[in-house]
Amino acid sequence: MAPRRPIVVASKNGATALPAAMEILRRGGTALDAVEAAARIVEADPADTSVGRGGWPNILGTVEVDASIMDGATRRAGSVGAVRGYLHPISIARAVMERLPHVMLVGDGAMRFAREIGAERSRLLTPRTRGLWLDFLRQVRETPRSVLRRRELAPVVMRTVRLERKGTVNFIAIDRSGHMASAVSTSGWGYKYPGRLGDSPVIGAGNYCDERYGGACCTGFGELALRGLTAKTAVDRLAAGMPPEEVARAAIRDVNELDAPRPAAMNIVVLARDGGYASATNRRYTTLEKRERRRFSVMTSDMSEPLLLDRTLVR
Ligand code: GLY
């Protein structure tokens, strides 16, 4: 394969990690190494409340993280869900792909495997996210003790549906050899029911990469991408010859047809094998400050810093 111009496409919160990912690609590193390294940076950043350390806790105040990684060359994939106390779920997901005959581990099994491979432990709940969780409990007339003693958590979790407490980070890369990979990491739905998994660890829902055509990853209300198998459907549309911009729009149109409580934000980034990219969202932000949240990021090897672009709004 002729040498290719490396590129990484990410959700907006991935922009800070793009220079490090691009450095790996410029040096001839693999797309798989680049997306894993980028996800690790966001996972370790306590300022990002939707991923890794500093991510939203579940309704009981425990941060449970999910991640997945996919090698577009082989379509091998690894993922983990509902992992507690480990800093880099993306690296545990990669180890599932590379060291086990499995694709997905969750909960106690995933944590046992994390221990086996010597994955780095960390306290994921920060004073800031604990404070926000306590604020939420106050709003619904609960305390850490009362919620722990509840026989039914469902009524409290139902109060989280309209909260803007969702988010995730996405990365899709093409390396100099033309190989592709994608990575997704998240703390999932803020104040979720313990054990809830969203789209991020489910291959085909929040993450899919097949370098014969391209890759797609999602952020937002994961239940929608689970119901629509959004990432795989997007790659199928690339395979059918649809341009990335149309693919991204079609993905959000599909999501918008599902019945869901509003706001049910969904966003997608798409990277085609030829380097064409696009992103779309169904989230209409009215203020300039909030519009910032509607962006995605991209970096190619000839850029000195990432570009932030507006996602296409699909109503
Ligand atoms: N999109 C992330 C989640 O729903 O968990």
Side-chain angles (χ1 to χ4, degrees), residues 18 34 38 53 55 74-75 92 99 105 114 119-121 124 139 170 177 181 188 204 223 232 234 257 263 271 304 306:
L18 288 189
R53 180 193 283 152
T74 58
R75 275 163 283 146
I92 310 171
R99 302 196 204 178
L105 292 181
E120 187 178 347
R121 292 195 57 89
L124 301 181
Q139 279 166 32
N170 298 158
S177 306
E223 280 66 10
K232 174 68 164 79
E257 282 178 14
L271 178 61
S304 57

PDB file of all heavy atoms in Angstrom, residues 18 34 38 53 55 74-75 92 99 105 114 119-121 124 139 170 177 181 188 204 223 232 234 257 263 271 304 306:
ATOM      1  N   LEU A  18      -5.213  14.887  20.464  1.00  0.00           N
ATOM      2  CA  LEU A  18      -4.877  14.644  19.052  1.00  0.00           C
ATOM      3  C   LEU A  18      -3.397  14.889  18.734  1.00  0.00           C
ATOM      4  O   LEU A  18      -2.804  14.129  17.961  1.00  0.00           O
ATOM      5  CB  LEU A  18      -5.788  15.464  18.137  1.00  0.00           C
ATOM      6  CG  LEU A  18      -7.234  14.970  18.073  1.00  0.00           C
ATOM      7  CD1 LEU A  18      -8.011  15.704  16.991  1.00  0.00           C
ATOM      8  CD2 LEU A  18      -7.300  13.477  17.832  1.00  0.00           C
ATOM      9  N   ALA A  34      -2.174   4.751  18.243  1.00  0.00           N
ATOM     10  CA  ALA A  34      -2.547   6.177  18.320  1.00  0.00           C
ATOM     11  C   ALA A  34      -3.892   6.362  19.015  1.00  0.00           C
ATOM     12  O   ALA A  34      -4.034   7.221  19.895  1.00  0.00           O
ATOM     13  CB  ALA A  34      -2.589   6.783  16.916  1.00  0.00           C
ATOM     14  N   ALA A  38      -4.435   8.141  22.691  1.00  0.00           N
ATOM     15  CA  ALA A  38      -5.297   9.323  22.793  1.00  0.00           C
ATOM     16  C   ALA A  38      -6.381   9.104  23.854  1.00  0.00           C
ATOM     17  O   ALA A  38      -6.634   9.976  24.692  1.00  0.00           O
ATOM     18  CB  ALA A  38      -5.930   9.619  21.430  1.00  0.00           C
ATOM     19  N   ARG A  53     -11.181   8.980  34.946  1.00  0.00           N
ATOM     20  CA  ARG A  53     -11.079   9.687  36.233  1.00  0.00           C
ATOM     21  C   ARG A  53     -11.840  11.012  36.142  1.00  0.00           C
ATOM     22  O   ARG A  53     -11.655  11.777  35.193  1.00  0.00           O
ATOM     23  CB  ARG A  53      -9.607   9.965  36.526  1.00  0.00           C
ATOM     24  CG  ARG A  53      -9.389  10.681  37.832  1.00  0.00           C
ATOM     25  CD  ARG A  53      -7.975  11.198  37.922  1.00  0.00           C
ATOM     26  NE  ARG A  53      -7.018  10.174  38.233  1.00  0.00           N
ATOM     27  CZ  ARG A  53      -5.729  10.204  37.855  1.00  0.00           C
ATOM     28  NH1 ARG A  53      -5.271  11.181  37.117  1.00  0.00           N
ATOM     29  NH2 ARG A  53      -4.926   9.233  38.204  1.00  0.00           N
ATOM     30  N   GLY A  55     -15.086  11.021  35.834  1.00  0.00           N
ATOM     31  CA  GLY A  55     -16.318  10.764  35.090  1.00  0.00           C
ATOM     32  C   GLY A  55     -17.527  10.686  36.021  1.00  0.00           C
ATOM     33  O   GLY A  55     -17.393  10.562  37.239  1.00  0.00           O
ATOM     34  N   THR A  74      -8.104  -6.048  10.821  1.00  0.00           N
ATOM     35  CA  THR A  74      -8.482  -7.448  11.059  1.00  0.00           C
ATOM     36  C   THR A  74      -9.928  -7.585  11.510  1.00  0.00           C
ATOM     37  O   THR A  74     -10.453  -8.695  11.580  1.00  0.00           O
ATOM     38  CB  THR A  74      -7.616  -8.027  12.189  1.00  0.00           C
ATOM     39  OG1 THR A  74      -7.815  -7.201  13.357  1.00  0.00           O
ATOM     40  CG2 THR A  74      -6.140  -8.014  11.818  1.00  0.00           C
ATOM     41  N   ARG A  75     -10.530  -6.462  11.872  1.00  0.00           N
ATOM     42  CA  ARG A  75     -11.846  -6.421  12.531  1.00  0.00           C
ATOM     43  C   ARG A  75     -11.847  -7.205  13.837  1.00  0.00           C
ATOM     44  O   ARG A  75     -12.873  -7.715  14.272  1.00  0.00           O
ATOM     45  CB  ARG A  75     -12.951  -6.886  11.588  1.00  0.00           C
ATOM     46  CG  ARG A  75     -13.445  -5.740  10.718  1.00  0.00           C
ATOM     47  CD  ARG A  75     -14.204  -6.216   9.531  1.00  0.00           C
ATOM     48  NE  ARG A  75     -13.264  -6.714   8.529  1.00  0.00           N
ATOM     49  CZ  ARG A  75     -13.498  -7.710   7.708  1.00  0.00           C
ATOM     50  NH1 ARG A  75     -14.653  -8.328   7.744  1.00  0.00           N
ATOM     51  NH2 ARG A  75     -12.595  -8.095   6.832  1.00  0.00           N
ATOM     52  N   ILE A  92      -7.402  -2.025  28.959  1.00  0.00           N
ATOM     53  CA  ILE A  92      -7.934  -3.349  29.350  1.00  0.00           C
ATOM     54  C   ILE A  92      -8.691  -3.934  28.148  1.00  0.00           C
ATOM     55  O   ILE A  92      -8.576  -5.122  27.839  1.00  0.00           O
ATOM     56  CB  ILE A  92      -8.850  -3.238  30.593  1.00  0.00           C
ATOM     57  CG1 ILE A  92      -8.161  -2.448  31.717  1.00  0.00           C
ATOM     58  CG2 ILE A  92      -9.218  -4.633  31.092  1.00  0.00           C
ATOM     59  CD1 ILE A  92      -9.083  -2.119  32.901  1.00  0.00           C
ATOM     60  N   ARG A  99      -5.176 -10.662  24.204  1.00  0.00           N
ATOM     61  CA  ARG A  99      -4.691 -11.749  25.056  1.00  0.00           C
ATOM     62  C   ARG A  99      -5.743 -12.791  25.391  1.00  0.00           C
ATOM     63  O   ARG A  99      -5.466 -13.740  26.107  1.00  0.00           O
ATOM     64  CB  ARG A  99      -4.173 -11.175  26.386  1.00  0.00           C
ATOM     65  CG  ARG A  99      -3.062 -10.169  26.215  1.00  0.00           C
ATOM     66  CD  ARG A  99      -2.382  -9.980  27.545  1.00  0.00           C
ATOM     67  NE  ARG A  99      -1.727  -8.709  27.653  1.00  0.00           N
ATOM     68  CZ  ARG A  99      -1.098  -8.302  28.746  1.00  0.00           C
ATOM     69  NH1 ARG A  99      -1.064  -9.068  29.814  1.00  0.00           N
ATOM     70  NH2 ARG A  99      -0.508  -7.128  28.785  1.00  0.00           N
ATOM     71  N   LEU A 105     -15.631  -8.215  28.085  1.00  0.00           N
ATOM     72  CA  LEU A 105     -15.711  -8.624  29.500  1.00  0.00           C
ATOM     73  C   LEU A 105     -16.416  -7.512  30.265  1.00  0.00           C
ATOM     74  O   LEU A 105     -16.164  -6.332  30.009  1.00  0.00           O
ATOM     75  CB  LEU A 105     -14.315  -8.797  30.107  1.00  0.00           C
ATOM     76  CG  LEU A 105     -13.421  -9.937  29.622  1.00  0.00           C
ATOM     77  CD1 LEU A 105     -12.101  -9.897  30.391  1.00  0.00           C
ATOM     78  CD2 LEU A 105     -14.086 -11.292  29.800  1.00  0.00           C
ATOM     79  N   ALA A 114      -8.324  -7.227  34.612  1.00  0.00           N
ATOM     80  CA  ALA A 114      -7.503  -6.016  34.774  1.00  0.00           C
ATOM     81  C   ALA A 114      -6.398  -6.261  35.808  1.00  0.00           C
ATOM     82  O   ALA A 114      -5.246  -5.863  35.620  1.00  0.00           O
ATOM     83  CB  ALA A 114      -8.392  -4.848  35.204  1.00  0.00           C
ATOM     84  N   ALA A 119      -3.183  -3.871  35.298  1.00  0.00           N
ATOM     85  CA  ALA A 119      -3.694  -2.545  34.880  1.00  0.00           C
ATOM     86  C   ALA A 119      -3.635  -1.571  36.052  1.00  0.00           C
ATOM     87  O   ALA A 119      -3.792  -1.965  37.214  1.00  0.00           O
ATOM     88  CB  ALA A 119      -5.127  -2.690  34.369  1.00  0.00           C
ATOM     89  N   GLU A 120      -3.446  -0.291  35.715  1.00  0.00           N
ATOM     90  CA  GLU A 120      -3.264   0.739  36.746  1.00  0.00           C
ATOM     91  C   GLU A 120      -4.577   1.026  37.476  1.00  0.00           C
ATOM     92  O   GLU A 120      -5.592   1.314  36.839  1.00  0.00           O
ATOM     93  CB  GLU A 120      -2.757   2.026  36.081  1.00  0.00           C
ATOM     94  CG  GLU A 120      -2.375   3.105  37.057  1.00  0.00           C
ATOM     95  CD  GLU A 120      -1.818   4.348  36.352  1.00  0.00           C
ATOM     96  OE1 GLU A 120      -1.498   4.264  35.139  1.00  0.00           O
ATOM     97  OE2 GLU A 120      -1.724   5.384  36.998  1.00  0.00           O
ATOM     98  N   ARG A 121      -4.513   0.976  38.798  1.00  0.00           N
ATOM     99  CA  ARG A 121      -5.705   1.263  39.601  1.00  0.00           C
ATOM    100  C   ARG A 121      -5.799   2.758  39.863  1.00  0.00           C
ATOM    101  O   ARG A 121      -4.781   3.456  39.868  1.00  0.00           O
ATOM    102  CB  ARG A 121      -5.648   0.506  40.925  1.00  0.00           C
ATOM    103  CG  ARG A 121      -5.763  -1.005  40.763  1.00  0.00           C
ATOM    104  CD  ARG A 121      -6.067  -1.654  42.093  1.00  0.00           C
ATOM    105  NE  ARG A 121      -7.290  -1.110  42.667  1.00  0.00           N
ATOM    106  CZ  ARG A 121      -8.519  -1.576  42.445  1.00  0.00           C
ATOM    107  NH1 ARG A 121      -8.699  -2.611  41.683  1.00  0.00           N
ATOM    108  NH2 ARG A 121      -9.568  -1.005  43.006  1.00  0.00           N
ATOM    109  N   LEU A 124     -11.615   6.876  40.802  1.00  0.00           N
ATOM    110  CA  LEU A 124     -12.160   7.598  39.643  1.00  0.00           C
ATOM    111  C   LEU A 124     -13.090   8.740  40.040  1.00  0.00           C
ATOM    112  O   LEU A 124     -13.261   9.709  39.303  1.00  0.00           O
ATOM    113  CB  LEU A 124     -12.887   6.623  38.700  1.00  0.00           C
ATOM    114  CG  LEU A 124     -12.022   5.481  38.132  1.00  0.00           C
ATOM    115  CD1 LEU A 124     -12.847   4.599  37.211  1.00  0.00           C
ATOM    116  CD2 LEU A 124     -10.805   6.011  37.392  1.00  0.00           C
ATOM    117  N   GLN A 139     -31.491  17.182  45.121  1.00  0.00           N
ATOM    118  CA  GLN A 139     -32.642  17.576  44.284  1.00  0.00           C
ATOM    119  C   GLN A 139     -33.755  16.538  44.318  1.00  0.00           C
ATOM    120  O   GLN A 139     -34.927  16.863  44.203  1.00  0.00           O
ATOM    121  CB  GLN A 139     -32.207  17.736  42.836  1.00  0.00           C
ATOM    122  CG  GLN A 139     -31.546  19.057  42.521  1.00  0.00           C
ATOM    123  CD  GLN A 139     -30.848  18.967  41.161  1.00  0.00           C
ATOM    124  OE1 GLN A 139     -31.304  18.263  40.269  1.00  0.00           O
ATOM    125  NE2 GLN A 139     -29.739  19.673  41.034  1.00  0.00           N
ATOM    126  N   ASN A 170     -14.426   9.771  21.467  1.00  0.00           N
ATOM    127  CA  ASN A 170     -14.266   8.942  20.252  1.00  0.00           C
ATOM    128  C   ASN A 170     -12.958   9.277  19.539  1.00  0.00           C
ATOM    129  O   ASN A 170     -12.632  10.467  19.436  1.00  0.00           O
ATOM    130  CB  ASN A 170     -15.337   9.271  19.194  1.00  0.00           C
ATOM    131  CG  ASN A 170     -16.773   9.022  19.598  1.00  0.00           C
ATOM    132  OD1 ASN A 170     -17.659   9.620  19.013  1.00  0.00           O
ATOM    133  ND2 ASN A 170     -17.009   8.145  20.542  1.00  0.00           N
ATOM    134  N   SER A 177       0.456   3.483   6.923  1.00  0.00           N
ATOM    135  CA  SER A 177       0.281   2.289   6.083  1.00  0.00           C
ATOM    136  C   SER A 177      -1.141   2.170   5.556  1.00  0.00           C
ATOM    137  O   SER A 177      -1.471   1.202   4.877  1.00  0.00           O
ATOM    138  CB  SER A 177       0.609   1.031   6.899  1.00  0.00           C
ATOM    139  OG  SER A 177       1.872   1.133   7.462  1.00  0.00           O
ATOM    140  N   ALA A 181      -8.032   2.285  12.895  1.00  0.00           N
ATOM    141  CA  ALA A 181      -8.484   1.761  14.186  1.00  0.00           C
ATOM    142  C   ALA A 181      -9.382   2.802  14.832  1.00  0.00           C
ATOM    143  O   ALA A 181      -9.334   3.989  14.486  1.00  0.00           O
ATOM    144  CB  ALA A 181      -7.292   1.470  15.094  1.00  0.00           C
ATOM    145  N   GLY A 188     -20.149   6.766  30.891  1.00  0.00           N
ATOM    146  CA  GLY A 188     -21.552   6.450  30.597  1.00  0.00           C
ATOM    147  C   GLY A 188     -22.525   7.463  31.173  1.00  0.00           C
ATOM    148  O   GLY A 188     -22.167   8.570  31.571  1.00  0.00           O
ATOM    149  N   GLY A 204     -20.263  -2.226  17.141  1.00  0.00           N
ATOM    150  CA  GLY A 204     -21.364  -2.085  16.177  1.00  0.00           C
ATOM    151  C   GLY A 204     -22.361  -1.021  16.609  1.00  0.00           C
ATOM    152  O   GLY A 204     -23.030  -0.431  15.786  1.00  0.00           O
ATOM    153  N   GLU A 223     -28.389   4.477  24.567  1.00  0.00           N
ATOM    154  CA  GLU A 223     -29.481   3.533  24.323  1.00  0.00           C
ATOM    155  C   GLU A 223     -29.961   3.629  22.875  1.00  0.00           C
ATOM    156  O   GLU A 223     -30.403   2.639  22.290  1.00  0.00           O
ATOM    157  CB  GLU A 223     -30.635   3.804  25.299  1.00  0.00           C
ATOM    158  CG  GLU A 223     -30.440   3.233  26.699  1.00  0.00           C
ATOM    159  CD  GLU A 223     -29.308   3.854  27.518  1.00  0.00           C
ATOM    160  OE1 GLU A 223     -28.746   4.875  27.098  1.00  0.00           O
ATOM    161  OE2 GLU A 223     -28.984   3.317  28.587  1.00  0.00           O
ATOM    162  N   LYS A 232     -22.184   0.455  13.158  1.00  0.00           N
ATOM    163  CA  LYS A 232     -22.059  -0.551  12.092  1.00  0.00           C
ATOM    164  C   LYS A 232     -22.905  -0.160  10.884  1.00  0.00           C
ATOM    165  O   LYS A 232     -22.483  -0.315   9.729  1.00  0.00           O
ATOM    166  CB  LYS A 232     -22.491  -1.923  12.638  1.00  0.00           C
ATOM    167  CG  LYS A 232     -22.551  -3.032  11.585  1.00  0.00           C
ATOM    168  CD  LYS A 232     -21.180  -3.401  11.056  1.00  0.00           C
ATOM    169  CE  LYS A 232     -21.146  -4.737  10.323  1.00  0.00           C
ATOM    170  NZ  LYS A 232     -21.650  -4.698   8.967  1.00  0.00           N
ATOM    171  N   ALA A 234     -23.537   2.797   9.950  1.00  0.00           N
ATOM    172  CA  ALA A 234     -22.816   3.867   9.251  1.00  0.00           C
ATOM    173  C   ALA A 234     -21.724   3.274   8.355  1.00  0.00           C
ATOM    174  O   ALA A 234     -21.568   3.688   7.198  1.00  0.00           O
ATOM    175  CB  ALA A 234     -22.208   4.830  10.274  1.00  0.00           C
ATOM    176  N   GLU A 257     -35.723   9.049  14.472  1.00  0.00           N
ATOM    177  CA  GLU A 257     -37.002   8.349  14.270  1.00  0.00           C
ATOM    178  C   GLU A 257     -37.369   7.449  15.438  1.00  0.00           C
ATOM    179  O   GLU A 257     -38.488   6.942  15.512  1.00  0.00           O
ATOM    180  CB  GLU A 257     -36.943   7.538  12.973  1.00  0.00           C
ATOM    181  CG  GLU A 257     -37.121   8.430  11.768  1.00  0.00           C
ATOM    182  CD  GLU A 257     -37.014   7.675  10.469  1.00  0.00           C
ATOM    183  OE1 GLU A 257     -37.058   6.427  10.493  1.00  0.00           O
ATOM    184  OE2 GLU A 257     -36.872   8.342   9.434  1.00  0.00           O
ATOM    185  N   PRO A 263     -34.251  15.786  26.174  1.00  0.00           N
ATOM    186  CA  PRO A 263     -33.359  15.728  25.031  1.00  0.00           C
ATOM    187  C   PRO A 263     -32.624  14.388  25.004  1.00  0.00           C
ATOM    188  O   PRO A 263     -32.147  13.927  26.023  1.00  0.00           O
ATOM    189  CB  PRO A 263     -32.364  16.849  25.343  1.00  0.00           C
ATOM    190  CG  PRO A 263     -32.302  16.880  26.832  1.00  0.00           C
ATOM    191  CD  PRO A 263     -33.652  16.465  27.329  1.00  0.00           C
ATOM    192  N   LEU A 271     -15.177   8.418   9.612  1.00  0.00           N
ATOM    193  CA  LEU A 271     -13.932   8.591   8.838  1.00  0.00           C
ATOM    194  C   LEU A 271     -13.895   7.501   7.770  1.00  0.00           C
ATOM    195  O   LEU A 271     -13.893   6.308   8.089  1.00  0.00           O
ATOM    196  CB  LEU A 271     -12.709   8.484   9.758  1.00  0.00           C
ATOM    197  CG  LEU A 271     -11.334   8.601   9.096  1.00  0.00           C
ATOM    198  CD1 LEU A 271     -11.145   9.962   8.416  1.00  0.00           C
ATOM    199  CD2 LEU A 271     -10.214   8.373  10.117  1.00  0.00           C
ATOM    200  N   SER A 304      -0.450  21.761  12.709  1.00  0.00           N
ATOM    201  CA  SER A 304       0.322  21.883  13.951  1.00  0.00           C
ATOM    202  C   SER A 304      -0.597  21.771  15.164  1.00  0.00           C
ATOM    203  O   SER A 304      -0.141  21.532  16.277  1.00  0.00           O
ATOM    204  CB  SER A 304       1.093  23.200  13.976  1.00  0.00           C
ATOM    205  OG  SER A 304       0.180  24.256  13.819  1.00  0.00           O
ATOM    206  N   PRO A 306      -4.981  20.679  16.343  1.00  0.00           N
ATOM    207  CA  PRO A 306      -6.253  20.133  15.828  1.00  0.00           C
ATOM    208  C   PRO A 306      -7.197  21.228  15.356  1.00  0.00           C
ATOM    209  O   PRO A 306      -7.154  22.356  15.858  1.00  0.00           O
ATOM    210  CB  PRO A 306      -6.856  19.420  17.040  1.00  0.00           C
ATOM    211  CG  PRO A 306      -5.841  19.417  18.096  1.00  0.00           C
ATOM    212  CD  PRO A 306      -4.814  20.445  17.786  1.00  0.00           C
TER     213      PRO A 306
END
